[in-house]
Amino acid sequence: MENRPFLSGFFRSPLGLAALAAALLLPLPGLSTVLAQTTGSIAGAVVFAGGGAASDAEVWIPSLGRRTAVDSAGTFLFSDVPAGPHVLEATSPRWGRGVARVQVEAGVTVNVTIELDPLFRLDELVVSAGPLSARRSDLYQPASALSGLALGRAARSSLGETLAGEPGVSSTYYGPGSSRPLIRGLGGDRVRILDNGLGSGDVSNQGPDHAVALEPVAAQRIEIVRGPATLLYGGSAVGGVVNVFDERIPRTLPNGPLSGSLTGVAGSAAWEKTGALTLEGALGTRWGWHLNGLRRATDDVRIPAKAAHEHRNGEEEHEKEGVLPNSAVETSRGSLGFSWLGRDRFLGVSLSGLETTYGIPFHGHSHAHTAHGPDHEEDEDVTIRLLQRRADLEGAWRFVEGTVQSVELRLGAADYSHKELEGDELGTRFSNRFWEGRLEVTHKLVPSMTGAIGVQALARDFSARGEEVFVPPVQVGSLAAFLYQEMEAGPVRLQAGARLEGQKAKQDKGGMDREHGGLSLSGGATWALSRGVSLAASLGRSVKLPAVEELFSRGPHAATFAYEVGDPFLREEVAYTLDATLRLTEGRFRGELTLFRSFFDGFIYQAPTGEEEEGLPVYRYAQSDALFGGFEAALELSLIHQGRHHLLWEGWGDYVRGKLSDLGQDLPRMPPLRTGTRLRYDGGTFRADLGVVRVAKQDRVAPFEEPTAGYTLVEGSLGYRLFRGRVVHDLIVQGTNLTNQEARLHTSFLKEVAPLPGRDLRILYKVYF
């Protein structure tokens, strides 16, 4: 281990970070009486387009964790609301969703009217982009959310495919069972996958064939934050954050002793059969509970017949047309949570479990390989059996008066394992024991200045045993302290933050230990240029600490068709990112355009050496300067917006290019230019949409990488919504890849042998009660 001066080494160590965090946090309780903060009230009404009362709506104030149902006239009242800005979200199963921002003054009742819209998505509520919830139009960096029917239509068996239609997001598609999201061309350890604000506890960042241990169909909301989110979530969030919420720990008291939903999905491409049940309720006036269960089973997925693949067995060749072999999935998932809920505090716990078995297409460990993919011989199919058990604790204490606004605590522990089976024989077993904790204190120093300060700790004990072991057993611990501050000055809002993070990785059995640390910084501003025009810009310095795979790998990795060699002397990777976003809202038009550019000092990547080991090309982890740049755009135009009838046109596009600037080489598996357009109609009970997505060819390729042809996908859906009192029935018939096009993702390691599914007709039925 390299020697460091004592002071530098101390502040890079977990002990030094703990001391720093304590120094930052200890004075805060004493400040709670410095600023006398009086309260006001919010009175309002929820209406749908045309002005009628939305009598079935609920209104939520995320910053206070308070929720209420409206009365028969659509009105509501929140009393004892701390003075300052607050964001409210109203939802109605019949009329849609609406978001409003209000400024509460001491001793004053603020009146607000929230108009619901069933189609607009460019101004939804986002809670993962900072310590304070905000409308999308108020954020310093691009973000989006999927919930309700939009999430129901998008949800697939993997997280990557669920989010692949969002601007700036693509996937690693390794068959239906395993797909991780990529954000702006970055993936793996540069995108943080969160389960209700904490790490997912799996090993999906170690290989494209490793699934994310989260279930999109069971989620109630998924948020995507693009760009550097390092300040709140760590160095592995340099590319962005995906936060999956399933509400298994109740944070507000449910309305009534029993409510929930029942979901059924059937699909033709893989003969999918999925069922999910969610129940929740209140026990008296202080206790809430939540129960969720899911079961999925699919066959091998069907692909366009012309995309048949040739299998080589000696000199014989044969084709298996119209199906992607060994791509079936079986999943079971369940969770149970309880919470004690007071007016200004709550404490809850949950237990959850996930079991899934999925096939790895064209992936046998004894297969021969080439630099471009597998050269298959007859062998046993490889399947992965994944098992995770998880326990979570979450609590919050919110203060009506004082400098300290709230104290929130999250703790999560997961015991994860997966077995890679060749037929019935065990090939490799991966194990990951993981826990993470996070303490966050939000505060208001003066009426125009709010923010958060916190600490975060993580530990994992990873091991792999068997034939495909390319990373030795290792324990990793990290500790971080962060500070985030916002200030409002008329039409300009400013943001600044810092995060100091340290990590120690220790190999078992006398192996090498490594310590890393770094300071991340960010600054941002939003300007309200006029009533309907705003500009946001952010500049960040993000530090990514080397992952254990990058440090200690040494062995064959069949999923990437490479013999991977780590470098224990890698230094921290530093990224400097500039984002600029223009947002327009004018009557029935909304638009958002983001330009971004990132410079990486010491970008960690796999460099081909030209050598071979065990029949595989050798790739060694190395560092070089890198440059990423691109754009994301989204437009919405309301063509009809009257009474029950709404017709919306959407357009979107994204592009990113990543290069090793020292070598002048394009990076591998970068997503090409994508554009999309869609018409969506909502008539209250009848809904329909039709969309087209065009993916351009990708011919900016890395050495030893083949270009990928472009393709066009057509999709659409028809839906019917039936109301019976408070019970709502949704029936949706959905079609994807309606023209049965051959589509290959350039971002996939299996693009040469595993195209995207062919024509798929799905039926989704969901009842809310």
Side-chain angles (χ1 to χ4, degrees):
M1 185 186 304
E2 62 185 293
N3 294 319
R4 295 191 180 96
F6 170 76
L7 190 62
S8 172
F10 175 75
F11 280 109
R12 287 188 173 204
S13 69
L15 178 62
L17 281 171
L20 175 63
L24 292 172
L25 289 174
L26 283 175
L28 281 175
L31 290 175
S32 62
T33 58
V34 173
L35 180 65
Q37 179 182 331
T38 52
T39 64
S41 300
I42 302 174
V46 182
V47 300
F48 56 84
S55 59
D56 60 347
E58 289 187 347
V59 184
W60 178 40
I61 307 179
S63 60
L64 303 179
R66 292 166 62 179
R67 187 186 303 269
T68 187
V70 302
D71 59 21
S72 59
T75 62
F76 63 91
L77 175 66
F78 289 103
S79 57
D80 295 326
V81 178
H86 295 277
V87 175
L88 287 73
E89 182 183 50
T91 58
S92 161
R94 190 183 300 258
W95 304 107
R97 183 182 307 270
V99 179
R101 189 171 187 265
V102 299
Q103 182 74 31
V104 176
E105 299 180 10
V108 175
T109 298
V110 180
N111 292 289
V112 61
T113 298
I114 305 177
E115 182 174 334
L116 304 181
D117 192 289
L119 295 177
F120 276 123
R121 286 189 55 215
L122 281 184
D123 204 21
E124 67 260 80
L125 179 72
V126 177
V127 302
S128 304
L132 307 175
S133 304
R135 297 179 301 180
R136 183 168 170 174
S137 58
D138 294 328
L139 296 175
Y140 300 93
Q141 55 191 3
S144 58
L146 274 174
S147 61
L149 282 178
L151 176 56
R153 285 191 295 261
R156 295 295 184 271
S157 58
S158 66
L159 186 61
E161 286 306 288
T162 297
L163 303 179
E166 293 294 299
V169 185
S170 49
S171 83
T172 60
Y173 190 70
Y174 213 88
S178 176
S179 177
R180 205 174 193 270
L182 301 170
I183 299 180
R184 295 179 173 178
L186 298 171
D189 199 48
R190 296 183 182 90
V191 172
R192 190 90 199 273
I193 307 296
L194 301 177
D195 183 349
N196 293 283
L198 296 176
S200 57
D202 53 44
V203 295
S204 62
N205 64 331
Q206 285 192 351
D209 58 336
H210 297 173
V212 179
L214 289 169
E215 178 48 62
V217 173
Q220 295 191 4
R221 184 183 188 91
I222 302 178
E223 296 188 351
I224 308 106
V225 182
R226 302 163 187 82
T230 309
L231 294 177
L232 294 178
Y233 301 110
S236 59
V238 61
V241 166
V242 175
N243 203 351
V244 180
F245 298 92
D246 64 5
E247 303 297 335
R248 63 176 175 264
I249 294 180
R251 297 171 181 86
T252 59
L253 190 68
N255 291 320
L258 179 64
S259 60
S261 65
L262 176 65
T263 304
V265 179
S268 66
W271 295 117
E272 176 186 359
K273 300 168 285 293
T274 299
L277 175 66
T278 298
L279 299 173
E280 64 180 17
L283 299 173
T285 60
R286 285 291 181 264
W287 292 90
W289 60 273
H290 182 97
L291 176 68
N292 176 271
L294 176 141
R295 174 68 179 168
R296 173 188 295 110
T298 77
D299 293 342
D300 290 345
V301 68
R302 287 160 178 75
I303 57 176
K306 63 182 179 181
H309 308 291
E310 294 182 350
H311 304 249
R312 295 174 179 84
N313 183 12
E315 299 299 323
E316 298 181 8
E317 295 185 357
H318 66 275
E319 292 185 348
K320 185 175 179 66
E321 296 189 1
V323 68
L324 184 63
N326 195 34
S327 58
V329 180
E330 289 189 12
T331 301
S332 297
R333 190 255 191 197
S335 66
L336 175 65
F338 286 94
S339 291
W340 177 87
L341 299 145
R343 176 178 174 82
D344 54 6
R345 70 200 75 178
F346 82 92
L347 180 65
V349 296
S350 72
L351 298 174
S352 59
L354 175 70
E355 297 183 24
T356 183
T357 301
Y358 60 95
I360 305 298
F362 301 109
H363 186 27
H365 292 283
S366 60
H367 290 168
H369 292 79
T370 71
H372 304 298
D375 184 14
H376 298 283
E377 300 172 357
E378 290 297 325
D379 204 354
E380 296 283 356
D381 287 335
V382 174
T383 58
I384 289 181
R385 291 180 181 172
L386 182 158
L387 173 65
Q388 185 185 65
R389 298 290 183 259
R390 182 178 177 116
D392 288 273
L393 181 146
E394 185 175 343
W397 194 336
R398 300 178 177 91
F399 304 95
V400 175
E401 297 183 350
T403 300
V404 175
Q405 301 276 282
S406 68
V407 178
E408 297 187 17
L409 174 68
R410 290 187 176 93
L411 293 172
D415 188 356
Y416 169 96
S417 66
H418 84 238
K419 300 176 181 178
E420 299 187 356
L421 303 173
E422 299 182 37
D424 295 326
E425 296 183 6
L426 177 63
T428 309
R429 186 180 189 276
F430 290 81
S431 174
N432 191 58
R433 293 183 177 180
F434 163 94
W435 71 263
E436 184 174 0
R438 179 184 180 88
L439 176 66
E440 186 173 305
V441 179
T442 60
H443 57 266
K444 178 176 289 188
L445 301 179
V446 296
S448 62
M449 185 177 293
T450 58
I453 189 169
V455 293
Q456 185 172 345
L458 178 151
R460 61 179 292 218
D461 185 351
F462 167 80
S463 66
R465 294 176 175 84
E467 295 183 7
E468 188 187 320
V469 175
F470 61 97
V471 181
V474 64
Q475 292 88 43
V476 179
S478 70
L479 187 61
F482 59 87
L483 172 67
Y484 183 96
Q485 203 68 41
E486 291 186 4
M487 184 177 69
E488 189 165 352
V492 179
R493 295 169 54 244
L494 302 174
Q495 168 267 327
R499 180 185 179 98
L500 184 61
E501 185 168 13
Q503 171 186 284
K504 183 174 183 178
K506 179 181 179 181
Q507 287 182 272
D508 278 352
K509 301 178 180 178
M512 181 176 293
D513 300 348
R514 298 295 292 160
E515 292 186 12
H516 296 88
L519 175 66
S520 298
L521 302 168
S522 80
T526 65
W527 294 270
L529 303 178
S530 66
R531 183 175 181 180
V533 182
S534 65
L535 180 65
S538 64
L539 177 64
R541 178 189 189 268
S542 306
V543 178
K544 187 189 94 67
L545 309 182
V548 294
E549 301 79 25
E550 298 163 343
L551 294 170
F552 303 129
S553 292
R554 179 170 289 274
H557 192 180
T560 61
F561 316 124
Y563 189 97
E564 298 182 3
V565 179
D567 182 353
F569 299 100
L570 292 173
R571 59 185 174 88
E572 296 85 358
E573 174 185 289
V574 182
Y576 301 89
T577 300
L578 175 63
D579 273 67
T581 301
L582 178 66
R583 299 185 176 105
L584 303 175
T585 302
E586 182 61 39
R588 298 181 178 183
F589 174 80
R590 300 184 188 188
E592 184 175 283
L593 172 64
T594 298
L595 304 177
F596 62 89
R597 196 165 183 85
S598 299
F599 170 75
F600 287 81
D601 178 10
F603 184 82
I604 300 172
Y605 72 103
Q606 290 183 329
T609 65
E611 303 171 350
E612 280 196 4
E613 285 280 349
E614 300 184 18
L616 293 169
V618 176
Y619 283 77
R620 185 180 298 274
Y621 282 98
Q623 290 187 283
S624 173
D625 291 344
L627 189 64
F628 284 68
F631 74 89
E632 297 148 2
L635 303 173
E636 293 180 340
L637 176 62
S638 178
L639 304 176
I640 300 175
H641 189 63
Q642 184 176 3
R644 290 178 176 268
H645 301 287
H646 307 269
L647 180 64
L648 184 77
W649 172 82
E650 293 178 338
W652 64 273
D654 60 24
Y655 176 74
V656 61
R657 186 180 183 188
K659 294 186 64 176
L660 296 174
S661 48
D662 286 351
L663 304 176
Q665 295 178 357
D666 285 286
L667 283 162
R669 292 176 297 281
M670 296 299 297
L673 172 68
R674 302 187 304 171
T675 56
T677 184
R678 182 182 297 270
L679 277 174
R680 292 199 289 148
Y681 171 77
D682 188 300
T685 56
F686 177 73
R687 304 173 183 213
D689 68 86
L690 180 65
V692 179
V693 176
R694 174 62 188 172
V695 179
K697 68 177 181 180
Q698 179 59 286
D699 53 11
R700 298 182 183 274
V701 294
F704 307 107
E705 186 182 30
E706 296 294 332
T708 304
Y711 54 88
T712 300
L713 299 178
V714 180
E715 57 187 24
S717 69
L718 298 173
Y720 182 76
R721 172 164 277 193
L722 178 65
F723 298 90
R724 287 291 182 264
R726 288 275 178 175
V727 179
V728 182
H729 301 263
D730 271 319
L731 179 63
I732 299 174
V733 178
Q734 183 182 22
T736 57
N737 195 4
L738 291 173
T739 57
N740 206 36
Q741 289 291 301
E742 178 182 347
R744 301 180 185 272
L745 285 182
H746 188 76
T747 53
S748 170
F749 277 94
L750 292 184
K751 67 167 186 172
E752 300 297 332
V753 294
L756 292 178
R759 183 184 297 109
D760 185 19
L761 298 178
R762 294 164 57 86
I763 298 177
L764 167 67
Y765 170 74
K766 189 165 188 175
V767 56
Y768 308 84
F769 52 88

